[in-house]
Amino acid sequence: QLPETEDTCVFNRGVVAVSGERWRDRKITETIEELIMLYVKSKARLWRGGVSQPPFLLALAGRYKKLPLEWNVRGLGRVDLGRTEM
């Protein structure tokens, strides 16, 4: 189990910028594939919330930099969406 701190982040794969060289050097694809295989072979639910997002987050845990808010196009520059827009 990974330690959870106030800096622990969950992010959407749709807003991630990666260095292909670092991704390959750190074997991120292989790590994600291994985690998915563990999930498939396990009789227990190792995580909730889908099959692909949790292993992606686990593989990158502690190995990312937060991007400034302006990189996130959620709401096209606005921080929050109104109830009618959701």
Side-chain angles (χ1 to χ4, degrees):
Q1 182 171 347
L2 296 172
E4 188 175 326
T5 69
E6 67 181 46
D7 294 330
T8 299
C9 180
V10 174
F11 48 88
N12 184 317
R13 293 166 296 170
V15 293
V16 174
V18 299
S19 161
E21 182 179 354
R22 287 183 180 177
W23 185 275
R24 285 185 298 278
D25 289 347
R26 289 163 176 78
K27 300 185 184 312
I28 301 297
T29 298
E30 291 88 342
T31 301
I32 292 170
E33 289 172 346
E34 287 173 20
L35 288 165
I36 290 172
M37 291 309 299
L38 286 171
Y39 181 86
V40 170
K41 290 178 182 178
S42 173
K43 298 202 187 287
R45 285 186 67 187
L46 301 178
W47 54 74
R48 296 179 301 204
V51 175
S52 63
Q53 183 78 12
F56 179 85
L57 295 172
L58 290 168
L60 292 177
R63 298 194 274 181
Y64 61 86
K65 292 183 181 181
K66 286 184 177 180
L67 296 174
L69 185 59
E70 55 267 14
W71 278 75
N72 192 336
V73 295
R74 181 180 144 227
L76 300 175
R78 295 178 296 166
V79 176
D80 293 310
L81 297 175
R83 286 187 180 270
T84 59
E85 298 173 279
M86 294 184 184

